[in-house]
């Protein structure tokens, strides 16, 4: 059974496989080796390569975070999960703004049919700012909306939340300790921030209560991806 980590221990690294093709994916898996336990497959790769990529990654010993951000009517979301039920994945994302009925149906389905899978709620995308929220009729501050959607998801049985590093302290405080917090926007102190703006170092995110750190370019674009990964793991355990 895939065990999803909770707080108070060192967060695990999830490598975001934001790559152009399977050859590049294979190269980075070779380069990072066994220290890499989790990988994130998003829409780009899943729509291109399909379930066979997920099987291949699982066969290579990796745990897969399938970041599909499902959002539809409750029946369609539950049926989408049914279609994913045979896949060897550990985490799947869905949009918390799909609402209580969809979240509840998905979490009930997952508990019965995919007991090894943790569903993660996505709240307000970090690409959405205050003006973006207002444009869709939500006048509350972004952080209130994040907290509202995160609490809604957890109340409906969703096991974890994807959040920005800066949201970690509030969510860690407001949500049960058993809720997994999964955080992108992580940059080691000496790494380029790329296009990420609200970032934390791995150690800061650990301190703030993250359970999983989603990291892409600091490892993918490093001259030596294995060394970059080992250095982050060292920072987390030190
Ligand atoms: O390369 P980098 O470390 O910035 O990659 C972070 C990963 O996390 C990417 O796959 C990106 O799409 C994802 N992500 C993010 N910010 C969010 C949600 C997801 O950077 N709010």
């Amino acid at each position: 059974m895939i065990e999803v980590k909770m707080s108070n221990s060192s967060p695990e690294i999830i490598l975001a496989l934001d790559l152009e093709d399977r050859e590049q994916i294979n190269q980075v898996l070779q380069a990072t080796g066994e220290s890499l336990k989790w990988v994130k497959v998003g829409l780009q790769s899943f729509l291109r390569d399909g379930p066979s990529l997920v099987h291949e990654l699982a066969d290579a010993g990796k745990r897969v975070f399938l970041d599909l951000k499902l959002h539809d009517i409750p029946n369609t979301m539950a049926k989408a999960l049914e279609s994913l039920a045979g896949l060897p994945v550990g985490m799947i994302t869905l949009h918390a703004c799909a609402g209580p009925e969809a979240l509840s149906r998905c979490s009930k389905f997952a508990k019965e049919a995919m007991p090894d899978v943790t569903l993660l709620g996505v709240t307000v995308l970090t690409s959405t700012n205050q003006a973006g929220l207002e444009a869709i009729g939500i006048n509350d501050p972004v952080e209130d909306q994040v907290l509202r959607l995160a609490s809604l998801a957890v109340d409906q049985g969703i096991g974890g939340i994807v959040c920005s590093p800066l949201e970690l302290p509030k969510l860690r405080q407001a949500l049960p300790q058993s809720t997994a917090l999964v955080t992108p926007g992580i940059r080691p102190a000496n790494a380029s921030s790329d296009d990420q703006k609200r970032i934390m170092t791995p150690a800061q995110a650990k301190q703030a209560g993250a359970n999983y750190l989603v990291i892409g370019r600091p490892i993918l674009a490093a001259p030596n991806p294995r060394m970059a990964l080992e250095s982050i793991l060292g920072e987390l355990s030190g």
Side-chain angles (χ1 to χ4, degrees):
M1 175 161 173
I2 292 173
E3 219 176 89
V4 168
K5 282 166 64 85
M6 298 312 160
S7 60
N8 298 328
S9 55
S10 215
E12 298 222 30
I13 307 293
I14 303 176
L15 178 63
L17 293 177
D18 298 328
L19 295 164
E20 291 306 315
D21 54 40
R22 281 165 98 138
E23 199 183 318
Q24 286 186 10
I25 291 177
N26 288 335
Q27 279 169 5
V28 84
L29 292 186
Q30 289 276 327
T32 46
E34 287 186 1
S35 304
L36 179 69
K37 310 285 185 221
W38 281 88
V39 291
K40 178 171 87 86
V41 172
L43 281 169
Q44 179 188 358
S45 312
F46 193 71
L47 295 178
R48 184 188 61 220
D49 296 329
S52 68
L53 171 64
V54 174
H55 284 289
E56 203 173 290
L57 292 167
D59 290 346
K62 306 302 176 193
R63 296 174 176 184
V64 179
F65 166 15
L66 193 55
D67 187 18
L68 299 184
K69 298 189 178 70
L70 304 175
H71 185 188
D72 211 308
I73 60 171
N75 187 59
T76 303
M77 285 178 72
K79 290 287 177 189
L81 284 186
E82 210 175 304
S83 298
L84 297 172
L87 283 183
V89 299
M91 298 194 268
I92 299 174
T93 45
L94 33 77
H95 273 285
C97 61
E101 190 189 335
L103 296 171
S104 157
R105 278 200 53 181
C106 287
S107 68
K108 279 188 189 130
F109 175 80
K111 277 181 187 126
E112 280 164 24
M114 323 159 90
D116 293 346
V117 174
T118 297
L119 295 183
L120 301 175
V122 173
T123 61
V124 179
L125 292 172
T126 46
S127 51
T128 303
N129 60 12
Q130 195 62 43
L133 268 192
E134 284 169 17
I136 55 167
I138 296 162
N139 294 313
D140 290 334
V142 172
E143 59 179 37
D144 290 4
Q145 182 68 358
V146 167
L147 194 54
R148 173 185 294 132
L149 289 174
S151 302
L152 172 72
V154 170
D155 287 349
Q156 300 306 323
I158 300 298
I161 300 293
V162 182
C163 65
S164 88
L166 301 192
E167 292 158 0
L168 279 170
K170 262 205 169 152
L171 292 182
R172 188 75 286 162
Q173 197 186 14
L175 302 176
Q177 285 303 301
S178 57
T179 303
L181 295 181
V182 180
T183 310
I186 299 298
R187 287 295 177 272
N190 58 354
S192 153
S193 57
D194 302 305
D195 54 356
Q196 297 279 14
K197 298 204 168 52
R198 299 183 299 147
I199 54 179
M200 274 189 186
T201 66
Q204 287 168 334
K206 173 183 176 179
Q207 183 68 25
N211 305 107
Y212 294 86
L213 310 180
V214 179
I215 302 180
R217 286 162 292 180
I219 295 171
L220 298 175
N224 184 330
R226 185 189 293 253
M227 268 178 64
L229 173 63
E230 299 288 355
S231 150
I232 295 168
L233 291 170
E235 176 180 336
L236 288 170
S237 63

